[in-house]
Amino acid sequence: MILQNVLEMVDPVHSNRVSLLAGQFARHLNLSSHEVEVIQAAAKYHDIGKISIPLSILQSVEPFTDIQRKIMQRHVQYGLSILSVYNSEEMEVAKTIIATHHERWDGKGYPNGLSGNNIPLAGRIVALCDVFDALSSERPYKPAWALGQVLDYIRSERGKAFDPELTDKFLELICEGVSEGIAL
């Protein structure tokens, strides 16, 4: 209940969309139904640490200064701290997602500069879902991007920010969903 209350305070619409998309993507990757369920449930916690970030930064319409960017990046540490007292399978996967969804395939991400397959699969899945939702949704600092623009950006980050094979599968999922009229 406490975690649910915290989630409700930290962009619950974004968290829920990322969670649902992560579940759809995990299913598209032919993961087991149990893995799909756990990844989907755990993904909703990916940004829980933002509860500890000042609203002035979260709601900023200006580009971040270097100091603000470093403060925002601390949401990973804060999220891990919030979940540190929980040890269920879902919470362990949530911690993995929190710790790795900002890592990049090329090793230029944070917090640990992991690269390639050293980034756990759940983190690589949520990274794509998080960016897709953030770009395709209105945020305080930007309007929603058109779907084509979002997909072009994701393609451009293939092998840089994102796992190339997962990028191809993600684009396939989104294009299939669009062609079938599925709400994303």
Side-chain angles (χ1 to χ4, degrees):
M1 185 63 167
I2 292 171
L3 284 180
Q4 188 60 41
N5 290 342
V6 172
L7 283 175
E8 289 298 318
M9 297 167 71
V10 183
D11 202 351
V13 174
H14 170 69
S15 294
N16 286 330
R17 284 192 307 245
V18 170
S19 172
L20 291 171
L21 186 54
Q24 290 175 330
F25 188 27
R27 192 172 302 104
H28 185 73
L29 294 171
N30 294 316
L31 299 183
S32 73
S33 59
H34 178 73
E35 290 171 305
V36 168
E37 183 180 307
V38 172
I39 288 171
Q40 181 170 330
K44 69 182 162 215
Y45 297 99
H46 75 283
D47 279 341
I48 197 166
K50 286 184 178 178
I51 191 73
S52 299
I53 302 297
L55 280 177
S56 62
I57 293 175
L58 289 176
Q59 297 175 346
S60 176
V61 296
E62 300 296 322
F64 288 157
T65 65
D66 287 341
I67 291 170
Q68 289 171 319
R69 183 171 289 101
K70 286 180 179 164
I71 291 169
M72 179 61 91
Q73 289 176 350
R74 289 185 196 152
H75 83 277
V76 171
Q77 295 165 266
Y78 299 148
L80 292 171
S81 179
I82 290 166
L83 296 189
S84 66
V85 297
Y86 299 94
N87 59 12
S88 68
E89 180 182 13
E90 179 184 321
M91 289 296 109
E92 292 306 315
V93 174
K95 291 174 205 173
T96 296
I97 289 169
I98 290 168
T100 62
H101 78 284
H102 288 295
E103 299 288 359
R104 290 174 48 103
W105 188 255
D106 62 12
K108 296 179 182 176
Y110 69 91
N112 297 309
L114 299 178
S115 64
N117 287 319
N118 290 322
I119 305 166
L121 179 61
R124 288 181 278 146
I125 287 171
V126 173
L128 279 156
C129 298
D130 183 34
V131 168
F132 178 84
D133 186 72
L135 294 178
S136 61
S137 304
E138 183 176 340
R139 310 295 275 187
Y141 53 87
K142 68 159 202 62
W145 289 13
L147 179 61
Q149 192 178 8
V150 175
L151 298 180
D152 286 346
Y153 176 80
I154 289 173
R155 277 186 204 96
S156 76
E157 291 296 311
R158 181 186 187 277
K160 297 176 201 168
F162 307 122
D163 174 330
E165 289 180 34
L166 285 186
T167 301
D168 294 344
K169 290 288 193 180
F170 184 78
L171 294 169
E172 182 181 280
L173 170 70
I174 299 302
C175 290
E176 284 176 8
V178 169
S179 70
E180 294 173 11
I182 297 171
L184 300 172

